[in-house]
Every structure is written in C-alpha cells, then in structure tokens.
Amino acid sequence: MEQKKGFHVAVVGATGAVGQQMLKTLEDRQFPIGKLTLLSSARSAGTKVQVNGAEYTVQEAKPESFEGVDIALFSAGGSVSKELAPEAVKRGAICVDNTSAFRMDENVPLVVPEVNENDLLNHNGIIANPNCSTIQMVVALEPIRQKYGLNKVIVSTYQAVSGSGAVAVEELNEQTKAIINNEEFEPKILPVKGDKKHYQIAFNAIPQIDLFQENGFTYEEMKMINETKKIMHRPELSVAATCVRLPVAVGHSESVFIEVDTEGVTAADLKELLKDAPGVVLQDDPENQVYPMPADCVGKNDVFVGRIRKDLHDEKGFHLWVVSDNLLKGAAWNSVQIAESLIKLGLVK
Amino acid sequence: MEQKKGFHVAVVGATGAVGQQMLKTLEDRQFPIGKLTLLSSARSAGTKVQVNGAEYTVQEAKPESFEGVDIALFSAGGSVSKELAPEAVKRGAICVDNTSAFRMDENVPLVVPEVNENDLLNHNGIIANPNCSTIQMVVALEPIRQKYGLNKVIVSTYQAVSGSGAVAVEELNEQTKAIINNEEFEPKILPVKGDKKHYQIAFNAIPQIDLFQENGFTYEEMKMINETKKIMHRPELSVAATCVRLPVAVGHSESVFIEVDTEGVTAADLKELLKDAPGVVLQDDPENQVYPMPADCVGKNDVFVGRIRKDLHDEKGFHLWVVSDNLLKGAAWNSVQIAESLIKLGLVK
C-alpha cells in the first residue's frame, strides 16, 4: 500500500501561544505536510506567519475552510472547537482538539500517546488533547500503574501563567516591572480572564485556575481528576488536585503523592522503572542537587521526574515531583504527537 | 503578688531579617520591656538600631552579654544558639530560640502558643520556636485534630525566599531585574547558601529547601514531619512534606491534605470550626474568589485558611490552603508570643 506523502494540515488558532508552538513543533518534527492552512478568529485573520521558510496568511476559520483538510489541530478556545470541529469532521478531516470542549464526551478519545494510543482506534473524527497539567502527570504515573497498580493520587500543582495564554505572560511581565519600579498596576487577566476579580500574580501564588465549581474544586482541578480517570480507564481511581498559579512564564510543576497496589515496592524500583519510561526523563540525584525545575524544561518535549521517595509511614505511598513545558507536552507537542500516531496507525485517510 | 513592670529583654541576631521583625513586633505589642539589649555577630556589632523611639547600639553577643537578662530571643543561626543559649540560661535568662538547634531535644519544649502553650511549664531554660512552615500548618490543623482526630497529613509547600534570609530576597530581586533587562546573572544563594550548587529562583520553582537527608527528604521536609508530631504530641501521626521555594519575597503557602478520624465530617464543619479558631482567619468564599494569598498576608500575625473542601473519594479526607507571613507567625511573632505566654504563666522570674 502506497503511503500518502503529505497531508493537508489545518491549524486553528494559529496566532495564539499554543498555535505558534504547534507550527514550530510541526517544523521540528518534519511533519509530512502536503498543504498547510492557518486559521484564526476574524480578529487575527490576515496575520502573516512563516512556516518552514514559506509565508502563510492566516484566514478566518469557517466551516468551508476545512474542505480537503486531512488533519485539523484546534487550539482556539472551546466555543470555536464546538462550532467548527463537527464541521471539519463532516468534510472528512480528523480533528485533534486542544480545548476542553469534547474531553469528557464518551464518544471522543482523550489521548496521551505514551499512555493510551490505542484509544485512537475508536475515534469518531474528533480526538481530544487533555489538559496540560493532566498530561504530564499521567505520563509519569502510567508506567507505575501498569507495573505496581495505583489506587490513590493527590496532586498539588505549581502552574505557569502561559497556561492562560500570551496575555497572561504579558501581565506577569508588566506587573513584575511595575513592582520593581515601585509603580502602580491593575491586575486584569489572572487568575481567570472571565471571572469577576483579578489578582496580582507577580511575586504571589494564586490558588485558583479556571472557574470554581459547586463542589468547591476549580474546573482545572476537576479536569485533572476526571481526565486522569478517563485516560487511564480507571473510573474508580481516587484522584484529588489542588491547582495553583505561580509567577513562572512557562513550565508546570507538580507535587504528586501516590499509593500503589503492590507491597514491598521501593523508591529505587520506581526510579528504575521511570528511567526507561516513554516520554519521561528521570532527573533524580539529590546528592548532586539534581531534580526537575520549570526553568530547565522550557522548549523540551519530555516530562521530567525527580524527588522520588517512599512515604515514611505509608508502605505503599510515594512522592514525586513532575515538571514539563506546558505549551509543548502539555499542548502543542501532545497534539502533534497524536497526529503522528494517527498516521502511524493508518487512521488518516 | 506584685507584677514586675518591665523585663530585661535581649535580642540575639538583632540586625537580621527575623531580628528586625522581632523588634518591630515587641514595639507593636507594647511588650513590657524594662531594658533592651541588642546582640549580633562581631561583624554586625556597632550597628545603630531604633526601637520605641530610642537608639540602641548592637553589641557583639558573648556569654557575659546575658548577665541580668530575663528573656533572650535568639535568631542568629543554630551555631550561635548552641553556644550561647546555655550560657544565657546559666545566667538566669529564659531563651526563646528561633533556630533548629534544640527543636528536637526532648528536654526542650517546642511551642506554638495556640497549640501547646502548656508545654512551656516543663521548660529547662530553653524554649524552641518551630520552623516557619510547621507553625502555620499546626495552627490550622490543631483545632481539627482536637475535635475530629487526625491520622494523616500530606503537605506541599509554596515557600517565600525570605525564609533563607535577607540575602535571598536580594537575590530574587536582582535576578528578576536581570531577566527583565535581558542581562546575565549568577545564582549564589538559593536554594541553600551552604550547598554545592545554586539555581535561578526568579520565574522558577526549586524543590529543595535546606540540605538533602539520606532518606531523600530535605531537612526542611523532615522538620515539618518531626516538629508537627512533637508539637501535637502525636509521634505516630502520619506526616509527609514536599517543600518548594518560589519567587515570592514574603508569605508561605501550603496545600494540605488531611484525614480525620471521625466519619461524617463536612467541609462546612471544618469552616465553622476554623472560623473561631485561635490565630486563624478563615478566608473561604469561592463564589466571590476569596482565598488566602501570600501577597495579602504580609505584615499580619494571623494564619489564613481557605479552599477547604472534602475529598471526592476519601470520606475522611479534606484539602486546605494555608498561608501566613513566614517572618511573623513563622518566626518573630511566634517567638514574642511565647515570651508573652511565659509572662502570663508566671514563668519569667
């Protein structure tokens, strides 16, 4: 069977923080692009963007934009995906959606290739890319779950502002300058652009990411809880999350407590396991002060894991520190990786 | 019985970050000072300091400096306390020591007045002030332990650089300016001044506070674990900690998971309990985005608690977010508060 040489790829949200990383990732991976269509809101349409040395003009995304498209990568907000992904599917495209629009839809696979690549086989045109903070955690935990079982996850996150888009990075920078120069400033974006109040992020920590739900958890926390269960196919898994925004531009960190099912597991066992786990780089050498940090992960596709230690009281309890570039493995790279898996599995027509 | 009108108070480490806050707290509290002696290392001796409108010259701390002293507040490093606190006791002073030198000594009470004030009755001249991150956590958890029992604590911290002294705050500021101005910089202080390697703290998160121990936990983490058990008189309590340094100048935050002993407790029960708990200010109104943040706690003596919610799987599990000024309740205020308790209990001769 002859393999198709190049695919018609559309990037929706091409001018955004994640969209830009998607284009760079497509370049870096030498993704087999036959034709590239860059789409955005009406507001950003007309922007010129360079990809693989050629100049593209970004067009306004409309249903008919997807005629002839093989793979559409969506990262332009949930409402855009809800409206246009079904239109793209109608026209024969497979959509990889980086918003939360379809993640919990039971007809939509939620995929991290290192964890559940085969869920792609059951797709109905749309594949959801999980939330950034979920992706890096399941990459680190799935090898442990497979070998030793997993019955409890409690995570506290340390999340970068770029998760709220380029405007939030800008806000962090502007506030930082204002504080250093002893000038006034007015928070306008964080913690959540669409929420009622906005707080200082520079030199602060905000324990709110996304809107609060009725149960007292934020939507970000519920995403981590529900998506982890779905990706691991473990609806009964006990997962809890506390999500916190930090004055860091790029790179999410997570302090994760887990309980395994098996007795007698050691920290050395987990290190040995994660050393060769797909997508994971083990950085765990306390004696030489080697552990992952957000400043070191920027621009890298891997999930970095360190500080692995056994709980001092709980025979089946372990602590880990997990760091990754939230724009890459947390978004752009995982989306492109899904597209690569679709091609590998022969699922792109 | 006639009450002594004013005490001879000595502050050891008077020029340091915590020492300065101690002096300010003594002023704010109108502490009954008869005579004030300010002490420091030879290097800082000679510095002029204003307290209650009078100018004091800081003197080099020596054994004979403590002649006639009633209460000595130590915050000049563990080695200074180890050498001079026993000398002060010999001369009749009661020492409140803010270093880790004596905290785990079984002859030394480790005191947070809201939690275990009566342990002061068994003192032998030295009282230890706990680690900053421990203090704020036990203030929040002790009312829960008393009413509902407590069998598990898992904490992830978000700690300010001022816990490493004024030089670390300076380093954060200098690095931040350098990064904003696109200039080179060389980390020299954090994560631990005396450790081999130093890392960027600005726009980063460092999962190391104090030196690593053989079991893979840092000394800061072991302080939180062991001190919590000692203060609560619960040696068997399951406590785990992951301690992380953030680009925040002042104010430690903590994401705390607990398991209580009692069934049927609700988040509303815990909020009701903490609303009136000593030393606690409840800030928990998600609908109006009310929760504690380090930027809001600076300069306040209280421990702020919010984001209280019941675990979605563990019937006895709860999550809390605890924030306090690490230089005040975490150090200076708790020390002065111990001194006030000593006077109240008639323990100062």
Side-chain angles (χ1 to χ4, degrees):
Chain A
M1 198 173 70
E2 199 192 359
Q3 212 204 325
K4 198 167 166 181
K5 288 277 169 45
F7 299 94
H8 183 178
V9 176
V11 175
V12 188
T15 59
V18 172
Q20 288 290 302
Q21 292 295 327
M22 282 175 169
L23 296 175
K24 190 175 171 305
T25 303
L26 290 168
E27 284 181 338
D28 291 349
R29 299 290 300 181
Q30 301 185 289
F31 194 89
I33 297 174
K35 185 178 175 189
L36 184 63
T37 298
L38 304 190
L39 303 169
S40 73
S41 63
R43 192 169 44 83
S44 298
T47 308
K48 309 276 187 197
V49 173
Q50 295 277 336
V51 186
N52 281 327
E55 187 175 88
Y56 293 81
T57 302
V58 180
Q59 302 168 311
E60 185 184 349
K62 295 178 180 170
E64 50 274 27
S65 311
F66 298 94
E67 294 290 352
V69 167
D70 298 306
I71 302 171
L73 306 177
F74 277 78
S75 191
S79 57
V80 174
S81 293
K82 271 188 185 148
E83 185 196 336
L84 292 178
E87 296 291 342
V89 173
K90 258 191 233 168
R91 289 165 175 81
I94 294 191
C95 301
V96 181
D97 180 28
N98 187 45
T99 77
S100 64
F102 300 102
R103 284 182 192 149
M104 296 313 296
D105 185 327
E106 59 185 21
N107 293 312
V108 173
L110 182 66
V111 175
V112 178
E114 291 88 344
V115 177
N116 62 335
E117 187 180 50
N118 283 339
D119 286 358
L120 293 172
L121 298 170
N122 305 315
H123 83 85
N124 297 298
I126 300 175
I127 293 115
N129 193 68
N131 185 46
C132 46
S133 49
T134 310
I135 294 176
Q136 66 185 69
M137 186 170 79
V138 298
V139 167
L141 298 189
E142 177 65 7
I144 300 171
R145 189 192 73 76
Q146 282 188 14
K147 183 147 187 186
Y148 300 115
L150 190 65
N151 77 70
K152 197 182 196 68
V153 178
I154 299 174
V155 57
S156 296
T157 71
Y158 301 69
Q159 294 184 231
V161 295
S162 52
S164 281
V167 285
V169 178
E170 182 69 10
E171 173 161 72
L172 170 61
N173 289 338
E174 291 307 316
Q175 274 184 16
T176 304
K177 280 182 207 162
I179 290 172
I180 280 184
N181 297 325
N182 227 344
E183 292 164 1
E184 300 267 310
F185 61 90
E186 190 196 341
K188 286 179 182 163
I189 307 288
L190 291 165
V192 184
K193 205 176 168 187
D195 211 343
K196 298 181 290 282
K197 296 180 192 166
H198 301 292
Y199 298 123
Q200 170 187 334
I201 183 62
F203 305 105
N204 198 15
I206 307 180
Q208 181 191 357
I209 300 183
D210 219 321
L211 298 168
F212 279 100
Q213 311 295 292
E214 285 214 347
N215 62 4
F217 287 77
T218 60
Y219 189 45
E220 181 82 359
E221 289 160 358
M222 292 313 299
K223 283 186 247 175
M224 288 197 79
I225 293 167
N226 292 326
E227 295 180 15
T228 298
K229 297 178 191 193
K230 178 169 176 175
I231 297 165
M232 289 185 167
H233 296 276
R234 284 287 310 276
E236 79 293 359
L237 183 65
S238 173
V239 187
T242 299
C243 292
V244 181
R245 192 70 80 188
L246 296 194
V248 169
V250 177
H252 286 355
S253 307
E254 299 175 343
S255 170
V256 188
F257 170 77
I258 58 166
E259 259 178 27
V260 298
D261 288 333
T262 316
E263 281 189 5
V265 181
T266 65
D269 290 335
L270 296 195
K271 290 181 199 178
E272 187 60 31
L273 182 63
L274 291 175
K275 190 164 61 69
D276 302 316
V280 171
V281 172
L282 184 71
Q283 293 184 327
D284 197 332
D285 180 6
E287 209 178 314
N288 292 302
Q289 292 175 266
V290 174
Y291 36 70
M293 290 184 284
D296 293 339
C297 80
V298 179
K300 295 171 186 160
N301 284 342
D302 310 284
V303 173
F304 300 89
V305 185
R307 301 280 345 257
I308 299 172
R309 58 217 194 278
K310 187 159 187 161
D311 193 88
L312 300 175
H313 303 85
D314 182 346
E315 158 61 25
K316 297 177 180 174
F318 293 88
H319 304 271
L320 304 87
W321 176 251
V322 181
V323 178
S324 194
D325 184 323
N326 54 299
L327 298 178
L328 294 180
K329 185 56 184 167
W333 163 231
N334 199 69
S335 290
V336 172
Q337 199 182 6
I338 288 171
E340 290 185 355
S341 293
L342 287 167
I343 295 170
K344 187 183 76 180
L345 295 170
L347 296 169
V348 190
K349 286 171 215 118
Chain B
M1 199 173 70
E2 199 191 358
Q3 212 203 329
K4 198 168 169 182
K5 288 276 168 47
F7 300 93
H8 183 176
V9 176
V11 175
V12 188
T15 59
V18 172
Q20 289 288 306
Q21 292 294 330
M22 281 175 171
L23 296 174
K24 190 175 171 305
T25 302
L26 291 168
E27 285 180 339
D28 292 348
R29 298 290 301 180
Q30 301 184 291
F31 194 89
I33 296 174
K35 185 180 175 188
L36 183 63
T37 298
L38 304 190
L39 302 170
S40 73
S41 63
R43 193 170 44 83
S44 298
T47 308
K48 309 279 188 195
V49 175
Q50 295 277 337
V51 186
N52 282 326
E55 186 175 87
Y56 293 80
T57 303
V58 180
Q59 301 167 310
E60 185 184 348
K62 294 177 181 169
E64 51 272 26
S65 311
F66 297 93
E67 295 291 352
V69 167
D70 297 308
I71 302 169
L73 306 176
F74 278 78
S75 192
S79 56
V80 174
S81 292
K82 270 187 186 150
E83 185 196 336
L84 292 178
E87 297 290 343
V89 173
K90 257 192 234 168
R91 288 164 177 83
I94 294 191
C95 300
V96 181
D97 180 28
N98 188 45
T99 77
S100 64
F102 300 102
R103 283 181 193 150
M104 295 312 296
D105 186 325
E106 59 184 22
N107 293 311
V108 173
L110 182 67
V111 175
V112 178
E114 291 88 344
V115 178
N116 62 336
E117 188 179 50
N118 283 338
D119 285 358
L120 292 172
L121 298 170
N122 305 314
H123 84 84
N124 297 296
I126 300 175
I127 292 113
N129 193 69
N131 185 46
C132 45
S133 48
T134 310
I135 294 175
Q136 67 184 67
M137 186 170 79
V138 298
V139 167
L141 298 190
E142 178 64 9
I144 300 171
R145 189 193 72 76
Q146 282 188 16
K147 183 147 187 186
Y148 300 114
L150 190 66
N151 77 68
K152 197 183 196 68
V153 178
I154 299 173
V155 57
S156 296
T157 72
Y158 302 69
Q159 294 183 233
V161 296
S162 53
S164 281
V167 286
V169 178
E170 181 70 10
E171 174 162 72
L172 170 61
N173 289 337
E174 292 308 315
Q175 274 182 18
T176 305
K177 280 182 207 163
I179 290 173
I180 279 184
N181 296 323
N182 227 345
E183 292 164 0
E184 300 266 309
F185 62 91
E186 190 195 342
K188 286 178 181 163
I189 307 288
L190 291 165
V192 184
K193 204 176 169 187
D195 211 342
K196 299 181 288 283
K197 295 181 193 166
H198 301 292
Y199 299 123
Q200 173 188 331
I201 183 63
F203 305 104
N204 198 17
I206 308 180
Q208 181 191 358
I209 300 184
D210 218 323
L211 298 169
F212 278 99
Q213 311 296 293
E214 286 214 347
N215 63 4
F217 286 77
T218 60
Y219 188 45
E220 181 83 358
E221 289 160 357
M222 292 312 299
K223 283 187 248 177
M224 289 197 79
I225 292 168
N226 292 325
E227 294 179 15
T228 298
K229 296 179 192 193
K230 178 170 175 173
I231 296 164
M232 290 186 167
H233 296 276
R234 285 287 309 275
E236 79 292 0
L237 183 65
S238 173
V239 187
T242 300
C243 292
V244 181
R245 191 71 80 188
L246 296 194
V248 169
V250 177
H252 286 356
S253 307
E254 299 176 343
S255 169
V256 188
F257 169 77
I258 58 168
E259 258 179 27
V260 298
D261 287 335
T262 315
E263 281 188 6
V265 182
T266 65
D269 291 334
L270 295 195
K271 289 181 199 178
E272 188 60 30
L273 181 63
L274 290 174
K275 191 164 61 69
D276 302 315
V280 171
V281 172
L282 184 70
Q283 292 184 329
D284 196 332
D285 180 6
E287 209 178 316
N288 293 302
Q289 292 176 269
V290 174
Y291 36 69
M293 290 185 285
D296 292 339
C297 80
V298 179
K300 296 171 186 159
N301 285 341
D302 309 284
V303 173
F304 300 89
V305 185
R307 302 276 352 254
I308 300 173
R309 64 224 125 98
K310 188 160 187 159
D311 194 86
L312 300 176
H313 303 83
D314 182 346
E315 158 61 26
K316 297 177 179 174
F318 293 89
H319 303 270
L320 305 87
W321 176 252
V322 181
V323 177
S324 194
D325 184 323
N326 54 300
L327 298 177
L328 293 180
K329 185 56 184 168
W333 163 232
N334 200 67
S335 290
V336 172
Q337 200 182 5
I338 288 171
E340 290 184 356
S341 294
L342 288 167
I343 295 170
K344 187 183 78 179
L345 295 171
L347 296 169
V348 190
K349 286 170 216 118

